[in-house]
């Protein structure tokens, strides 16, 4: 489709005409997908938390992030880009998944995400627990080949089974590695911290294709050092960014299911994401927001700004 043929971009509701506490309940008050003829970026919710091992509640994450996104504005000065002005971004609503059957749920997410991507849109997926990363990676590896995963989390999420169950929020990246979805030379964890089940967890993780920038490394090397290591590892292939909001310190994201002390600040995370500019980002998710444990939308606002920076990266990469 040539530039001339592309339909005019429909942006968010104008906050100078409609107060922020009014208007649609979509992400950043953007148009719904059925209100635009095509989309470059689709924000989609996956209300699902049947894979969690501790606190539940991430099924209410998508709605909470949308409700916390009403203050997002048209121009992002940190990246000098209009994320909703240079590309069509729309809210595709939620993928309705079976809360009682994990295998059915995973198949549904895979099938529905494939449909959403079929016209070339990139997905920014609002979880839901971290189980959802596996079906999303299955879809993207079919489209792009082996994926370099950039995984922000307190947890490795490369464990094997929980109570014998292979598909949980603690196992998505082991399953993805085993299924051949990942570029094993270019996957990276950011923000890892807290107690492990065994030292062998780290050896397994390395075998599965990951390197680690620990939360404590930010203390020594700062954001710049973390971004340098991140970019050196990711290379120039297709990159999928999976952000477990518990990568943030519980002070910055109390509303999550498995909190660990000693995490990143929201400023460190946002500035790290800005370091993705120019890399081939093909999709992203933001998971593990559990609003029942949030206070004053602290976690919801952080997640909404994370989504805004990711959408801004997709916009900046179009320049
Ligand atoms: N929150 C995510 N994604 N994983 C947490 C795993 C916690 C545990 O194995 O104790
Ligand atoms: Zn986690
Ligand atoms: Zn996780």
């Amino acid at each position: 489709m040539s530039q001339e043929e592309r339909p005019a971009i429909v942006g968010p509701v104008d906050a100078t005409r409609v107060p922020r506490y009014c208007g649609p309940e979509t992400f950043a008050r953007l148009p719904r997908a059925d209100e635009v003829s095509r989309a470059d970026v689709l924000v989609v919710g996956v209300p699902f938390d049947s894979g969690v091992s501790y606190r539940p509640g991430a099924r209410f994450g998508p709605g909470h992030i949308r409700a916390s996104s009403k203050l997002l504005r048209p121009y992002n000065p940190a990246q000098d880009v209009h994320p909703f002005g240079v590309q069509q971004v729309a809210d595709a609503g939620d993928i309705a998944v079976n809360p009682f059957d994990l295998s059915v749920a995973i198949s549904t997410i895979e099938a529905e995400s494939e449909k959403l991507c079929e016209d070339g849109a990139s997905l920014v997926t609002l979880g839901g627990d971290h189980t959802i990363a596996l079906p999303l990676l299955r879809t993207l590896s079919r489209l792009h080949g082996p994926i370099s995963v950039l995984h922000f989390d307190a947890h490795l999420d490369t464990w094997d089974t929980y109570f014998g169950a292979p598909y949980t929020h603690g196992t998505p990246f082991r399953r993805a590695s085993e299924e051949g979805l990942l570029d094993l030379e270019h996957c990276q964890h950011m923000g890892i911290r807290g107690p492990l089940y065994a030292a062998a967890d780290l050896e397994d993780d390395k075998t599965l294709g990951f390197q680690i920038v620990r939360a404590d490394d930010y203390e020594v090397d700062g954001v710049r050092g973390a971004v340098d290591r991140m970019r050196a590892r990711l290379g120039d292939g297709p990159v999928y960014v999976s952000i477990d909001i518990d990568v943030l310190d519980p002070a910055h994201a109390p509303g999550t299911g498995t909190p660990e002390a000693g995490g990143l600040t929201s400023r460190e995370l946002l500035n790290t994401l800005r370091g993705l500019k120019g890399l081939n980002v093909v999709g992203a998710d933001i998971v593990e927001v559990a609003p029942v444990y949030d206070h004053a939308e602290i976690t919801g606002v952080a997640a909404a700004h994370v989504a805004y920076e990711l959408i801004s990266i997709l916009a900046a990469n179009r320049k």
Side-chain angles (χ1 to χ4, degrees):
M1 183 183 293
S2 72
Q3 199 61 31
E4 298 67 46
E5 290 163 354
R6 291 166 75 93
I9 289 173
V10 180
V13 168
D14 181 348
T16 64
R17 301 167 61 87
V18 179
R20 294 188 176 286
Y21 43 83
C22 302
E25 294 309 315
T26 55
F27 181 80
R29 301 199 298 173
L30 284 158
R32 294 193 317 271
D34 61 9
E35 294 175 316
V36 295
S37 54
R38 58 170 302 284
D40 298 303
V41 179
L42 287 171
V43 176
V44 59
V46 181
F48 175 80
D49 60 20
S50 305
V52 301
S53 58
Y54 189 57
R55 293 173 179 171
R59 64 181 65 181
F60 296 105
H64 188 60
I65 297 169
R66 290 186 173 107
S68 307
S69 68
K70 296 178 187 296
L71 277 174
L72 295 174
R73 297 178 186 84
Y75 175 61
N76 183 348
Q79 297 194 43
D80 186 22
V81 72
H82 293 81
F84 310 127
V86 298
Q87 58 188 1
Q88 182 59 65
V89 187
D91 191 320
D94 290 339
I95 299 175
V97 295
N98 184 324
F100 301 108
D101 186 322
L102 267 153
S103 296
V104 170
I106 287 171
S107 300
T108 302
I109 297 164
E110 190 175 336
E112 293 305 312
S113 58
E114 187 145 351
K115 285 183 202 161
L116 289 170
C117 292
E118 63 192 6
D119 293 335
S122 300
L123 300 187
V124 175
T125 304
L126 308 179
D129 76 52
H130 226 150
T131 311
I132 72 171
L134 176 62
L136 294 167
L137 282 166
R138 285 178 178 169
T139 290
L140 285 172
S141 71
R142 259 198 296 278
L143 290 170
H144 301 282
I147 302 288
S148 303
V149 168
L150 176 62
H151 172 220
F152 290 85
D153 207 318
H155 309 102
L156 296 171
D157 289 353
T158 51
W159 286 296
D160 190 6
T161 60
Y162 287 63
F163 293 83
Y167 302 107
T168 74
H169 74 158
T171 62
F173 301 112
R174 181 180 290 241
R175 298 288 90 81
S177 181
E178 290 169 344
E179 294 181 14
L181 311 181
L182 308 184
D183 179 339
L184 303 185
E185 301 305 316
H186 297 100
C187 290
Q188 179 75 46
H189 297 302
M190 305 290 284
I192 299 296
R193 66 186 185 276
L196 297 172
Y197 293 99
D201 295 352
L202 295 168
E203 293 148 31
D204 290 357
D205 188 72
K206 191 169 186 178
T207 305
L208 291 161
F210 284 84
Q211 288 186 0
I212 297 174
V213 171
R214 299 170 309 132
D216 283 343
D217 295 336
Y218 274 80
E219 189 82 17
V220 177
D221 306 325
V223 168
R224 176 50 46 212
V227 168
D228 289 348
R229 289 173 61 189
M230 174 184 87
R231 290 184 66 94
R233 176 66 177 167
L234 290 173
D236 55 12
V239 173
Y240 184 73
V241 188
S242 186
I243 301 172
D244 185 325
I245 207 67
D246 70 31
V247 70
L248 294 177
D249 186 88
H252 293 256
T256 193
T258 47
E260 309 282 352
L264 271 56
T265 67
S266 48
R267 186 173 57 236
E268 286 171 332
L269 177 56
L270 296 175
N271 276 300
T272 302
L273 293 175
R274 292 164 187 156
L276 283 169
K277 188 168 180 182
L279 296 187
N280 180 17
V281 177
V282 295
D285 63 47
I286 301 151
V287 296
E288 299 286 344
V289 172
V292 69
Y293 299 99
D294 205 0
H295 305 290
E297 296 184 330
I298 296 170
T299 313
V301 167
H305 280 253
V306 164
Y308 184 73
E309 290 301 336
L310 288 164
I311 295 168
S312 296
I313 285 288
L314 296 172
N317 285 350
R318 290 179 183 280
K319 276 187 173 178

